Amino acid sequence: MDDLTLAAYAKKIYGFAYAKTHNVQDAEDLSQNILLDLFRIQKDPREIGDLDAYVYRVCRYAWSNFYRREKRYWQMCPDESLSDTPDGADIPDGADTPEEAVLQKELYAVLRRKVMNLSYLRRQITTMFYFENKSGHDIASRLGISPATVRWHLSESRNIIKEQIEMENNLYTPRRLTVYFSGNANNGSLYGLRNDLMTQNICIACADRALPVEDICETIGVAAVYIEEKLADLCMMGYLKKTAGKYRTTFFIRDASFLSSQKQFEMQLFTPLADAIDTVITRHLGDIRALGFLGCDADETLLRWDFITAAAHDYMVEYSLPIHSTIPLRGDGSRHWIDASWSDQAIAEACGGMEEPLYDYIRYSGGCAGKYFGCDTAFLQQFDPPILTGYREFDTRTVEQLSSAAKQAREGVSENETERLMLTRIIEMGMAEMREDHVHMQIPCFTKAELTAYQSLTQTVLLPEITAICGDGLAKSYYNFVYPRLPADLDRAEKEFAATRFYAPNAIPYLLYRAGKLPLPEQAQNTVCTMLYERA
């Protein structure tokens, strides 16, 4: 096999080896043996129908040989180091070869894992019947159900376990999601949907079809006890829908295949828009500076990033298609849509051969955009271009400090110790600096009157000129491309949200940067694409 195929399976092979040997050194030795066996195979991977199953058989064969060779050393180890069979379960005697002994041990380990994957009630029934030797009548009495129901659950459990053992060689690769929400949320993590890998993979597993608990567990490789609480939270929030004992994800997840086609289309759609916005902002940057806001004398490159991204936001909001459906009401009282896609890393692992320009666009065209943070005196609008910065979150206290620094830039450094400390903090963040005892803001800071003047310039000059160059039909073109490619059985409201998601303002400055028309600003971590607006 070729090096690329071996590299793709290396982590999984090591995981297999460690699960068998429970020892780092032995796992490394066994992994090397497996990789060497695969390397010697004179077959093109494309000629192998089920490559995962083929690799798994090679792994099992190599493990059998490895155990036979090392058996004399392992006989000195405690038996539990070689087996994780259920407590009290006897291993059948009579194995003629080391391979048979290994397979018998593994069978008990597999059975225990499969029982742990069953739903709560079936897990109780199966454990009491097979491992506690209780009769069907005893189980029925203890659980308050009929003996016929016990027999039905036992039959279903046997069928499920049999099917899953037959599928044991399926290898699952967990995927990380990038998740945003549109609307309001009471829980920043969305009950694990934004940051918990297991929660995300539950949703991925249920994205294409409804699954019972047992199949979810088998797909992602965890016991039911570890996902039951997560399933409850996901259903409470409406991220999963449970029907007839099966779970289905309610929102659309853009996987690597969908993203590659969508982003390829986006690049073609947005490139003329990026050129139009750059032309108009460059032409009127002097007019924007003339508004006299704090920070109007900042570095030109930094201001171009600020106002090009802001203009992209204004254009996309202005011409986005309306969503006629009501924003989903969540179980905690919040209302929001879910915007989810595979992470950059997941896309890279799935699409190793993707062309670099497309992969870079996927990586750098997204990022959080149009977010707001506020306090009583001011609010902050911010975009996070991935080519320059990661996600930034400013709390109320930071916005208060920025507002105080802006006030001192207008009126002079305060004698109040608290306000001076606020200014010091903003200077440390690089969002202001002292020049000859005067405060100079490094981000645009607008008074209410200056904001009104800027909005008027946007509506009467900037947007009309941009529209005159590239038209107002881009959102409709985006909708017509995306909608037919969405799953046919996806809820109509979710399809409408996904197809009208004509919003990627961070893509515009990235396209200009890639074309050599917009250089990267220096020391922009906290300052880039950040604007402060005073409320009064």
Side-chain angles (χ1 to χ4, degrees):
M1 285 191 181
D2 58 82
D3 291 343
L4 287 176
T5 303
L6 295 178
Y9 279 94
K11 287 185 179 179
K12 294 178 182 178
I13 289 171
Y14 179 79
F16 171 91
Y18 188 81
K20 299 302 181 188
T21 62
H22 305 284
N23 178 281
V24 172
Q25 291 180 336
D26 289 332
E28 290 175 349
D29 290 343
L30 178 56
S31 298
Q32 291 176 3
N33 291 349
I34 295 170
L35 289 169
L36 186 59
D37 287 345
L38 290 170
F39 180 76
R40 289 169 176 162
I41 294 172
Q42 300 298 315
K43 271 190 178 183
D44 189 327
R46 291 170 294 185
E47 299 174 357
I48 301 173
D50 188 342
L51 188 57
D52 285 347
Y54 188 88
V55 171
Y56 185 78
R57 287 195 295 272
V58 173
C59 289
R60 292 293 296 268
Y61 178 79
W63 160 234
S64 175
N65 290 338
F66 188 84
Y67 178 80
R68 176 188 288 274
R69 187 173 65 251
E70 302 294 329
K71 179 175 180 291
R72 64 183 182 275
Y73 301 111
W74 288 2
Q75 284 176 337
M76 300 174 61
C77 300
D79 187 62
E80 58 267 22
S81 69
L82 298 177
S83 173
D84 54 355
T85 52
D87 294 339
D90 295 327
I91 296 178
D93 297 324
D96 295 329
T97 67
E99 289 87 344
E100 290 180 11
V102 170
L103 291 175
Q104 289 175 2
K105 290 174 184 287
E106 287 189 354
L107 178 60
Y108 278 91
V110 168
L111 287 173
R112 186 174 78 168
R113 290 199 304 272
K114 301 309 175 188
V115 169
M116 291 301 293
N117 287 352
L118 296 172
S119 61
Y120 180 72
L121 181 59
R122 285 179 184 163
R123 192 164 68 241
Q124 283 187 303
I125 293 171
T126 304
T127 300
M128 284 190 282
F129 186 82
Y130 287 105
F131 298 118
E132 298 178 11
N133 296 317
K134 296 188 181 297
S135 68
H137 286 281
D138 289 341
I139 296 171
S141 175
R142 187 168 180 178
L143 297 179
I145 57 179
S146 68
T149 301
V150 171
R151 289 195 296 274
W152 180 78
H153 278 296
L154 285 172
S155 175
E156 288 294 298
S157 296
R158 283 192 292 268
N159 290 336
I160 289 169
I161 290 173
K162 179 177 181 293
E163 181 183 51
Q164 292 184 353
I165 288 177
E166 291 172 351
M167 295 172 58
E168 179 70 15
N169 60 0
N170 289 346
L171 301 175
Y172 178 74
T173 301
R175 308 289 188 193
R176 175 72 68 181
L177 294 179
T178 299
V179 179
Y180 301 108
F181 65 90
S182 178
N184 67 82
N186 296 330
N187 182 283
S189 73
L190 303 180
Y191 293 85
L193 187 59
R194 298 187 74 183
N195 56 12
D196 182 74
L197 186 62
M198 191 182 299
T199 297
Q200 292 179 351
N201 279 269
I202 291 171
C203 293
I204 293 171
C206 301
D208 295 329
R209 60 191 177 95
L211 296 177
V213 170
E214 295 85 358
D215 287 356
I216 298 173
C217 293
E218 181 64 19
T219 299
I220 67 177
V222 298
V225 66
Y226 296 112
I227 70 170
E228 286 164 349
E229 185 175 340
K230 298 179 187 297
L231 287 172
D233 284 342
L234 289 167
C235 288
M236 180 272 293
M237 290 298 290
Y239 303 147
L240 289 183
K241 182 179 181 180
K242 184 180 180 182
T243 305
K246 294 184 177 181
Y247 298 86
R248 181 72 188 268
T249 303
T250 60
F251 55 90
F252 178 58
I253 299 174
R254 294 188 294 273
D255 61 14
S257 175
F258 183 90
L259 278 168
S260 62
S261 61
Q262 176 201 351
K263 295 298 184 179
Q264 184 72 55
F265 176 77
E266 265 189 24
M267 282 198 297
Q268 298 171 359
L269 189 71
F270 288 163
T271 296
L273 176 60
D275 290 338
I277 291 175
D278 181 39
T279 298
V280 172
I281 293 300
T282 301
R283 180 189 301 157
H284 292 287
L285 189 58
D287 299 328
I288 296 172
R289 286 182 186 269
L291 296 174
F293 53 87
L294 292 175
C296 66
D297 59 345
D299 175 72
E300 179 176 328
T301 298
L302 188 62
L303 288 181
R304 287 181 66 203
W305 274 86
D306 292 344
F307 289 103
I308 285 172
T309 309
H313 164 84
D314 292 334
Y315 177 90
M316 292 175 178
V317 170
E318 179 76 15
Y319 295 115
S320 62
L321 299 180
I323 300 177
H324 301 291
S325 303
T326 304
I327 300 177
L329 176 64
R330 303 301 177 179
D332 64 351
S334 62
R335 283 187 178 274
H336 55 262
W337 302 97
I338 295 298
D339 183 3
S341 60
W342 283 19
S343 68
D344 296 342
Q345 181 180 352
I347 295 168
E349 291 172 352
C351 303
M354 183 180 291
E355 293 182 1
E356 187 173 342
L358 176 58
Y359 178 60
D360 284 347
Y361 180 79
I362 293 174
R363 290 178 63 195
Y364 298 129
S365 64
C368 201
K371 62 184 190 291
Y372 291 89
F373 307 100
C375 67
D376 292 340
T377 59
F379 64 95
L380 195 73
Q381 183 185 39
Q382 196 169 57
F383 303 83
D384 295 330
I387 192 71
L388 292 176
T389 182
Y391 177 77
R392 299 171 292 177
E393 184 168 2
F394 286 14
D395 56 18
T396 300
R397 182 62 173 164
T398 303
V399 181
E400 289 175 348
Q401 293 168 345
L402 271 169
S403 180
S404 175
K407 179 182 177 182
Q408 294 180 68
R410 293 188 184 97
E411 301 175 2
V413 177
S414 173
E415 297 296 328
N416 182 283
E417 184 63 26
T418 299
E419 292 187 348
R420 292 172 71 93
L421 288 174
M422 289 182 175
L423 175 59
T424 299
R425 168 63 176 149
I426 295 305
I427 291 173
E428 289 174 349
M429 293 177 67
M431 305 180 81
E433 62 181 36
M434 294 296 297
R435 300 179 199 162
E436 299 178 354
D437 297 328
H438 292 285
V439 180
H440 288 258
M441 300 303 296
Q442 298 301 295
I443 64 170
C445 301
F446 292 83
T447 63
K448 190 172 183 178
E450 290 163 351
L451 175 58
T452 300
Y454 171 61
Q455 290 172 334
S456 176
L457 181 66
T458 297
Q459 292 298 322
T460 61
V461 178
L462 305 183
L463 280 180
E465 291 190 13
I466 293 169
T467 307
I469 298 173
C470 61
D472 59 2
L474 300 187
K476 184 64 175 178
S477 297
Y478 182 85
Y479 181 94
N480 291 338
F481 179 85
V482 171
Y483 197 92
R485 289 166 172 78
L486 296 171
D489 59 348
L490 185 66
D491 179 76
R492 183 188 62 80
E494 292 291 341
K495 291 177 76 171
E496 188 179 23
F497 169 72
T500 56
R501 193 67 175 152
F502 175 70
Y503 186 74
N506 290 328
I508 301 304
Y510 171 69
L511 287 170
L512 294 170
Y513 160 73
R514 194 185 68 178
K517 299 176 180 179
L518 183 64
L520 298 179
E522 297 180 0
Q523 300 177 343
Q525 177 63 33
N526 288 323
T527 57
V528 70
C529 299
T530 302
M531 298 189 189
L532 183 74
Y533 305 111
E534 299 292 340
R535 295 187 186 274

